[in-house]
């Protein structure tokens, strides 16, 4: 039986008087083309509201496109605040994917009009350069609702951008694989070569 993420981690903090808790997760970390994105979401301390409006939210990779798009609308309506930050392929090549993902996270947080009091991040998204108390959770997008919501927004916003890039860089099939290393994408790379939106430091073979 499937178990969806809940607000156990948020509730522990809410009960301590910490109201503004931001969940963060990334999308596009392993892609060969396009940016890496990080979603950040602050949910309200209203368990009944969250249960009724965000039912079905979970790790975005386990959802269909329609499910993600439907939940993304609900998340944006319910969240106290949300944002998505990006780091470019050039930035990934310049400093590496870990640094670039942290940069995208910082850009997401800088968009907030509410300063988070605590961060809940998915595993491998620790932010030592951010002076906010935080906790990194293994499989956080499957356990923590705030992180799951951030996962959905990171994925849907990046997918929308990759659809735009598909029209600018035809032939690679970006609209279908969103920059990931599918066989079709690798075949296109052999035929067309590497474009400026590809991550030159990643292995294409």
């Amino acid at each position: 039986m499937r178990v969806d993420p809940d607000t156990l981690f948020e509730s522990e903090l809410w009960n301590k008087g910490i109201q503004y808790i931001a969940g963060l997760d990334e999308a596009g970390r392993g892609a060969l083309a396009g940016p890496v994105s990080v979603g950040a979401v602050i949910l309200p301390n209203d368990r009944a509201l969250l249960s009724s409006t965000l039912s079905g939210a979970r790790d975005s990779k386990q959802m269909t496109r329609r499910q993600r798009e439907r939940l993304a609308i609900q998340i944006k309506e319910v969240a106290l605040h949300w944002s998505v930050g990006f780091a470019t392929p050039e930035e990934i090549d310049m400093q590496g994917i870990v640094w670039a993902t942290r940069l995208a996270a910082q850009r997401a947080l800088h968009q907030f009009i509410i300063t988070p009091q605590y961060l809940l991040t998915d595993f491998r998204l620790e932010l030592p350069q951010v002076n906010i108390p935080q906790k990194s959770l293994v499989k956080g997008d499957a356990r923590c609702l705030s992180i799951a919501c951030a996962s959905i927004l990171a994925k849907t916003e990046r997918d929308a951008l990759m659809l735009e890039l598909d029209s600018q860089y035809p032939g690679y099939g970006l609209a279908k694989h969103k920059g990931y290393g599918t066989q079709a994408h690798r075949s296109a790379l052999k035929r067309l070569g590497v474009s400026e939106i590809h991550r030159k430091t990643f292995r294409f073979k």
Side-chain angles (χ1 to χ4, degrees), residues 104-122:
Q106 287 180 280
R107 287 172 173 165
L109 292 173
H110 287 164
Q111 296 177 48
F112 273 6
I113 57 175
I114 300 171
T115 300
Q117 297 168 283
Y118 202 96
L119 307 180
L120 294 171
T121 71
D122 197 29

Side-chain angles (χ1 to χ4, degrees), residues 3 144 182-183 199:
V3 178
C144 172
T182 64
Q183 186 58 52
R199 304 172 186 180

Side-chain angles (χ1 to χ4, degrees), residues 6-114:
D6 55 32
T7 57
L8 176 63
F9 295 100
E10 293 91 341
S11 294
E12 291 178 353
L13 296 167
W14 287 331
N15 292 337
K16 295 177 182 178
I18 301 173
Q19 293 300 307
Y20 302 133
I21 305 158
L24 292 94
D25 199 8
E26 55 78 21
R29 186 184 182 107
L32 301 181
V36 63
S37 63
V38 173
V41 177
I42 298 179
L43 296 177
N45 182 0
D46 189 333
R47 296 161 184 80
L49 174 65
L50 298 178
S51 177
S52 63
T53 58
L54 301 183
S55 176
R58 58 191 188 280
D59 175 3
S60 64
K61 296 184 292 296
Q62 306 301 320
M63 303 173 68
T64 66
R65 177 182 59 82
R66 289 186 178 182
Q67 288 172 332
R68 287 193 297 267
E69 291 176 351
R70 177 182 64 82
L71 262 298
I73 294 172
Q74 295 293 97
I75 293 164
K76 292 175 182 179
E77 291 179 350
V78 169
L80 295 179
H81 200 64
W82 68 271
S83 63
V84 176
F86 294 90
T88 67
E90 294 81 6
E91 289 167 330
I92 294 169
D93 287 336
M94 180 174 61
Q95 295 287 349
I97 189 62
V98 173
W99 178 90
T101 304
R102 290 174 175 172
L103 177 63
Q106 287 180 280
R107 287 172 173 165
L109 292 173
H110 287 164
Q111 296 177 48
F112 273 6
I113 57 175
I114 300 171

